[in-house]
Amino acid sequence: MGIQIEFNPDLALRNISEFERGLRKKEECIPKKLEKGKIYDFLKAGHRNYWLQGEVPLVETKGNQQLSRPIASIIIIEVTHFMDDGKPFTRGKYKAIDVFDKAGDKIHFNGFARA
C-alpha cells in the first residue's frame, strides 16, 4: 500500500453545465463567465499537488484525460487537502490572469512556460 498523490501541471475543471444538471458541485466546474483578475474556488477529488509559483493553464475536462486547449492562464493561490467520507479531496483558490479566445489558434503555453 502506498500514498496515492497526483501531480497536475494544469487545473482541469468540468463544464458548468454539469453543475446546472446537478451532476457536480459548482467548485468542480469552470464559471460561466470567467473574468480576468477575479479569484475563484475549485474542488477536485483525490490528493493533488499543483505548482504554486507561476501561471498554469486552466483547461476543461470531460474525464479520462480528455482535456481542452487552455482557456485561461491562472495562478493557484491556495490549496488544502481534506478527507470526506473516507476519501481525499483537494480544494483551493485560483486567480484568472488572462482569459483566452476559444476560437483563436494562438499557443499560450509551451510546456510549463507561458508563451
Side-chain angles (χ1 to χ4, degrees), residues 92-107:
K93 295 182 181 296
Y94 65 94
K95 181 177 182 178
I97 301 303
D98 200 1
V99 179
F100 307 137
D101 178 10
K102 289 183 182 180
D105 289 334
K106 183 178 177 194
I107 295 174

Side-chain angles (χ1 to χ4, degrees), residues 3-14 24-29 40-52 74 76-94:
I3 300 170
Q4 287 188 319
I5 299 174
E6 189 169 328
F7 290 83
N8 296 123
D10 51 31
L11 179 59
L13 299 176
R14 301 290 180 138
R24 299 274 175 181
K25 294 182 180 181
K26 188 174 184 178
E27 296 81 12
E28 293 179 282
C29 301
Y40 300 92
D41 295 321
F42 73 88
L43 175 67
K44 296 289 290 181
H47 188 163
R48 297 165 183 269
N49 287 333
Y50 295 97
W51 187 48
L52 303 177
I74 64 167
I76 297 176
I77 56 176
E78 180 181 309
V79 177
T80 303
H81 300 109
F82 68 99
M83 298 293 289
D84 187 16
D85 197 25
K87 297 176 186 168
F89 286 85
T90 303
R91 68 176 158 222
K93 295 182 181 296
Y94 65 94

Side-chain angles (χ1 to χ4, degrees), residues 16-33:
I16 193 68
S17 65
E18 293 199 24
F19 166 70
E20 292 167 345
R21 293 191 328 251
L23 302 174
R24 299 274 175 181
K25 294 182 180 181
K26 188 174 184 178
E27 296 81 12
E28 293 179 282
C29 301
I30 297 169
K32 188 172 274 194
K33 182 169 170 54

